[in-house]
Amino acid sequence: MRRYLRILGLLACGCLSAPVLADCAASARTALEHAYCEVVAAGGGQRLPRFEDFRRNTPRVQALLLKRPARRVGVAVPEGAGNAPTTKPADVPSAATAVPSSLPAKPAPVPDPQSEPDSPAEPVTPGLARCQLAGDRIDCPNRRFQLARNQPNHRLAEGVLAAGNRLGLATYQGDPDDEAALRRYLSDAYDRYIHKMLGIGLGGVTLSFTEFYHGYHRHWASGVEYAQRLEHTFQLLKQDKRTRAVPARLSASLPEDLAFCDTIAATVVVCDGGSENWVFVAP
């Protein structure tokens, strides 16, 4: 199990534990970091990454991370020059050293600041509006989604663990500052990633979209091609899957509501919980 956690840790950060307020305030170097500490102190940090992982993001990504939780607790998110560090920022870690302390999870996808509604409410995804979360399943009027668990190899399709089965994500060719285009690319890439992880029987250890999104920015800042890194990790996971048993679940926790769940296909729902990710599949 530790092997799986280590491999998945190569991709993105993923721990949501909030720092002690005094330590947070003393460590903050920028206006955005101070805002992070204020949000945590006001009780809005449940879906934020750890302070150390928050610091590793660019100011633009930090502002996106803070926007929704800050608005809920009435903390203003600084803009413009106010984001400049008062001291030298921590170096962006290389892909090889950006290893989280625990398995990632899935909070709500980072919103496009141009399209996010003014209301701070978190409505249930329209596609799931008539559905109910019932423990390890989602009951809808005409369909039931069951929590995906890691599967033993004898239950997998033939050849899925072979070297020829690739994750096959395309490299982003657009403008890195075009947030809308980048989010479309990452959304499509994430859908493929989830289906591929289900295919190799690892639906219980997937990354959240939020981690997927921040992982791209972190690797891009480090000069590492994200699609290639994900491909390498996918191949390592297959190698381990061929030779090592993995438990059906690495955690007994379950999502609390459907507010952070979304359909990525007619038969797949993903719930983004911050430090954990849950995938539900309809037969």
Side-chain angles (χ1 to χ4, degrees):
M1 180 169 65
R2 290 179 181 175
R3 171 73 168 169
Y4 283 94
L5 295 176
R6 184 182 67 79
I7 292 175
L8 287 168
L10 293 173
L11 297 177
C13 70
C15 181
L16 291 185
S17 58
V20 177
L21 175 59
D23 293 339
C24 181
S27 301
R29 298 171 177 171
T30 70
L32 281 167
E33 290 178 4
H34 281 289
Y36 171 97
C37 296
E38 290 183 43
V39 170
V40 171
Q46 295 89 344
R47 297 184 181 278
L48 287 172
R50 294 181 308 171
F51 181 77
E52 296 85 352
D53 294 322
F54 177 82
R55 170 173 282 172
R56 289 169 179 159
N57 289 289
T58 64
R60 183 182 61 163
V61 174
Q62 289 178 346
L64 284 170
L65 278 170
L66 285 174
K67 186 173 183 179
R68 184 172 291 178
R71 186 169 57 187
R72 288 198 200 106
V73 296
V75 173
V77 177
E79 297 181 359
N83 299 340
T86 54
T87 60
K88 184 179 182 296
D91 292 336
V92 177
S94 67
T97 59
V99 180
S101 59
S102 65
L103 187 70
K106 190 181 194 299
V110 176
D112 183 341
Q114 302 300 321
S115 61
E116 187 184 10
D118 292 334
S119 172
E122 293 286 359
V124 173
T125 303
L128 300 174
R130 299 176 61 195
C131 302
Q132 290 186 335
L133 183 63
D136 64 352
R137 70 178 192 272
I138 298 173
D139 293 329
C140 300
N142 299 310
R143 176 161 290 178
R144 170 175 290 180
F145 297 86
Q146 192 70 41
L147 180 68
R149 292 172 167 81
N150 300 318
Q151 299 296 318
N153 293 347
H154 71 268
R155 298 190 62 180
L156 305 181
E158 184 176 355
V160 295
L161 298 181
N165 180 24
R166 296 174 54 80
L167 183 58
L169 300 183
T171 299
Y172 180 62
Q173 301 292 342
D175 182 351
D177 293 325
D178 187 340
E179 184 66 24
L182 178 59
R183 282 178 59 81
R184 286 194 296 271
Y185 160 78
L186 290 174
S187 179
D188 291 343
Y190 184 72
D191 290 0
R192 180 175 178 86
Y193 160 77
I194 290 294
H195 282 98
K196 282 290 189 175
M197 289 292 283
L198 287 169
I200 63 173
L202 292 179
V205 290
T206 59
L207 293 173
S208 69
F209 177 75
T210 298
E211 292 167 326
F212 202 81
Y213 175 92
H214 297 315
Y216 171 86
H217 282 286
R218 185 170 300 105
H219 285 77
W220 180 83
S222 302
V224 177
E225 171 49 52
Y226 194 44
Q228 292 178 9
R229 173 50 59 93
L230 288 168
E231 185 67 59
H232 178 65
T233 302
F234 185 70
Q235 298 302 324
L236 290 177
L237 287 171
K238 287 193 305 173
Q239 290 175 21
D240 268 17
K241 193 69 166 59
R242 288 195 294 266
T243 59
R244 298 170 182 264
V246 59
R249 294 191 64 192
L250 301 186
S251 170
S253 64
L254 292 166
E256 296 179 358
D257 56 53
L258 292 177
F260 295 96
C261 301
D262 199 3
T263 56
I264 67 168
T267 58
V268 180
V269 172
V270 177
C271 296
D272 191 331
S275 60
E276 293 186 76
N277 196 50
W278 299 277
V279 180
F280 292 79
V281 180

